[in-house]
Amino acid sequence: MDLKQTLTIGFDDTDSLKGMCTTFLAYKIVNELKKEDSEFLDYPKLIRFNPNIPWKTRGNGAISMSLRTKNPSKIKNKIKNLVEKYSDIKNGANPGLVFYQKETIPREFTEFSKLALWQLINRNYAKKFASKNNLDFFYLGNGQGLIGAIGAIGYHFDDYTLELLSYRKNSKFGKERKISTKSVIDMEKNTAPYTFNSFDAKKGRVLITPHGPDPVFYGIRGENIDSLLRATKILKSKEKLAGFMIFKSNQGTGDHLKNELNVNNLKAYASGKVTGIVSSKPKTIKGGHVLFSILSNSKEIPCAIYKPTGMTSIANNLIIGDKICIGGGVKKATKKYRRTLNVEFMEILTLKKILQETNPICNKCKKNMKSKGKNQDFQCIKCGLKSPKKEIRAMPRNIKKQLYIPKISAHRHLTRPKQRLGINNKDSKFDKSSSWFRVY
Ligand code: ATP
């Protein structure tokens, strides 16, 4: 008889900008749990929630993991101690830790998680949720971390990616990361499209190494375990690393922009999409950013395209009457600007025709005819064909009916990169061997 029980663990908000990283704590926890009689049921999950909430440290990531164990109490105590030990509370972390001890995750968790992906959730609501559902939970500070902790347990994947995060030895924390740029380029050449967003060829910039004092040395994002493991063998650095762990994630899925924003009640910090008709001429402001408005359901919504997205030239070519679908985050109003949608993608649905009166075109030669003078006919200079009046013609537009996304250097963790458009990774095979976790 199997006496093991299923235990799902969610935690968040253990780090600060001064150090630590919630994924590193996950790595430490897995390292401890590997010594116990526990069997992992899936990869640890790194779930990115609403990237437009103001108090995130970096990418608003939370962690969950599921395992089977004979001794859930012992495991819970161990994890609680590790969360207490590794959380950077003195620098503002507000950790939340939640345990769920049944096999099937209830629908309420999934609903909570869906909401956290695009709305702003009140932390008291998270505390009430935990009490109402009789959850075994724990928090420090103001408990903000409970939102990510509950959300990470409830997250349902329609599509996923993986990220291999490698960690530095303690002695290297805060020091410059040195990695061979050539090896990153080689790695990308050898593993793309099964890895993504590793190198920005336009700017010549390595994208896998973070810049803060956190313990991560690099993170390789991709579609499958084999490509990620192969990538680690191609990358070259003199630094001896501590180990790595592979996470299953919603990064690169564009998940936060799937919901329709309510234009009658556009809430600050919400993420989502809205379809409307361009209602004001795009205007470039100081810094090169472009502002314009769209009309949706009779509501005018101010939109901003920031210069670093590389989409300002597209925005500048919009005209009043174009129909577009915009995804992005709602910025709160300032003294100068109303609540504005900060654009993260733009899909042009219909382009308004620009009609202009022009000289007629010769039906035979397909050339513009020339006017023979005031109040006179037009004539083709090649074949002599005549026509009495000007024609109304649609002028070419410099933008197309298509999806436009920011350039790679302006991608957020959740942005769906070009190479993932149309991809739906659903394969739920879990590699039970320990290839996804290593301590060197
Ligand atoms: P890192 O990416 O380095 O792990 P972070 O960017 O995830 O850091 P946190 O320190 O975890 O930043 O802070 C994010 C906080 O916001 C957490 O406490 C999390 O519970 C909370 N949170 C997540 N989603 C929402 C939401 N939709 N509404 C309100 N709070 C949220």
Side-chain angles (χ1 to χ4, degrees), residues 257 292 304-306 309-318 322-328 342-351 397-408 410-411 415-418 421:
L257 301 177
F292 62 94
I305 302 217
Y306 285 86
T309 61
M311 298 197 296
T312 50
S313 61
I314 308 299
N316 269 323
N317 275 293
L318 290 170
D322 286 340
K323 185 175 181 189
I324 58 179
C325 173
I326 280 183
N342 179 4
V343 178
E344 292 177 40
F345 78 70
M346 179 163 70
E347 185 171 9
I348 302 185
L349 302 173
T350 22
L351 285 168
R397 297 284 309 267
N398 292 329
I399 45 179
K400 292 196 182 110
K401 271 203 301 188
Q402 66 164 74
L403 174 73
Y404 290 96
I405 59 170
K407 55 185 181 190
I408 189 170
H411 279 199
T415 307
R416 181 176 277 271
K418 224 184 212 148
L421 292 176

Side-chain angles (χ1 to χ4, degrees), residues 12-16 20-23 48-50 53 55-62 94 115-122 143-149 413:
D12 192 12
D13 208 339
T14 64
D15 56 357
S16 79
M20 282 309 294
C21 167
T22 305
T23 72
R48 302 282 177 185
F49 288 106
N50 186 355
I53 58 153
W55 46 76
K56 61 177 184 161
T57 313
R58 281 174 292 255
N60 197 10
N94 292 295
L115 223 55
L117 202 57
W118 69 298
Q119 302 275 2
L120 188 80
I121 294 185
N122 186 307
Q144 189 75 35
L146 285 176
I147 297 167
H413 289 96

Side-chain angles (χ1 to χ4, degrees), residues 59-295:
N60 197 10
I63 305 288
S64 75
M65 46 182 86
S66 288
L67 47 88
R68 284 180 68 71
T69 172
K70 277 186 189 150
N71 198 343
S73 311
K74 187 175 171 203
I75 300 269
K76 286 185 197 174
N77 269 333
K78 265 198 158 190
I79 295 178
K80 200 171 153 211
N81 290 338
L82 285 166
V83 169
E84 274 177 312
K85 180 173 166 195
Y86 283 103
S87 292
D88 197 6
I89 294 157
K90 62 178 186 307
N91 287 311
N94 292 295
L97 172 63
V98 173
F99 298 105
Y100 189 74
Q101 226 174 297
K102 283 185 196 139
E103 214 152 297
T104 318
I105 305 294
R107 193 177 44 83
E108 289 86 339
F109 276 81
T110 314
E111 295 303 322
F112 186 105
S113 187
K114 275 188 185 159
L115 223 55
L117 202 57
W118 69 298
Q119 302 275 2
L120 188 80
I121 294 185
N122 186 307
R123 61 174 168 267
N124 287 329
Y125 175 66
K127 287 176 190 165
K128 275 190 202 137
F129 181 96
S131 307
K132 201 178 102 198
N133 289 288
N134 271 327
L135 301 181
D136 192 356
F137 70 102
F138 159 83
Y139 67 84
L140 291 167
N142 65 17
Q144 189 75 35
L146 285 176
I147 297 167
I150 298 167
I153 290 180
Y155 189 80
H156 172 80
F157 288 94
D158 285 324
D159 172 28
Y160 74 88
T161 60
L162 297 168
E163 181 164 13
L164 182 148
L165 284 164
S166 73
Y167 297 102
R168 317 181 81 176
K169 297 196 166 180
N170 291 17
S171 58
K172 288 287 185 182
F173 289 4
K175 303 216 169 104
E176 193 194 343
R177 295 166 176 89
K178 287 187 183 145
I179 189 161
S180 146
T181 302
K182 185 184 169 298
S183 76
V184 178
I185 297 170
D186 281 352
M187 179 277 275
E188 192 173 71
K189 264 197 198 130
N190 279 284
T191 56
Y194 302 107
T195 60
F196 59 88
N197 286 17
S198 303
F199 188 72
D200 180 353
K202 280 213 178 99
K203 293 201 165 169
R205 253 182 39 203
V206 168
L207 299 173
I208 57 171
T209 45
H211 301 287
D214 53 289
V216 173
F217 186 68
Y218 60 65
I220 315 162
R221 292 156 280 239
E223 307 287 340
N224 59 57
I225 296 273
D226 289 348
S227 304
L228 296 184
L229 294 177
R230 200 144 51 82
T232 61
K233 303 214 165 75
I234 303 171
L235 292 174
K236 289 199 169 53
S237 164
K238 287 199 177 109
E239 185 168 331
K240 292 266 170 291
L241 300 173
F244 70 74
M245 186 152 89
I246 295 180
F247 293 84
K248 185 171 175 177
S249 181
N250 61 347
Q251 294 174 153
T253 63
D255 231 8
H256 64 308
L257 301 177
K258 279 187 186 151
N259 295 287
E260 293 281 347
L261 289 165
N262 177 359
V263 292
N264 294 314
N265 184 16
L266 209 57
K267 290 189 180 152
Y269 310 123
S271 304
K273 61 181 180 183
V274 55
T275 299
I277 307 285
V278 176
S279 57
S280 78
K281 196 169 172 275
K283 176 176 107 186
T284 303
I285 57 164
K286 205 171 148 215
H289 317 303
V290 174
L291 305 181
F292 62 94
S293 295
I294 58 169
L295 203 62

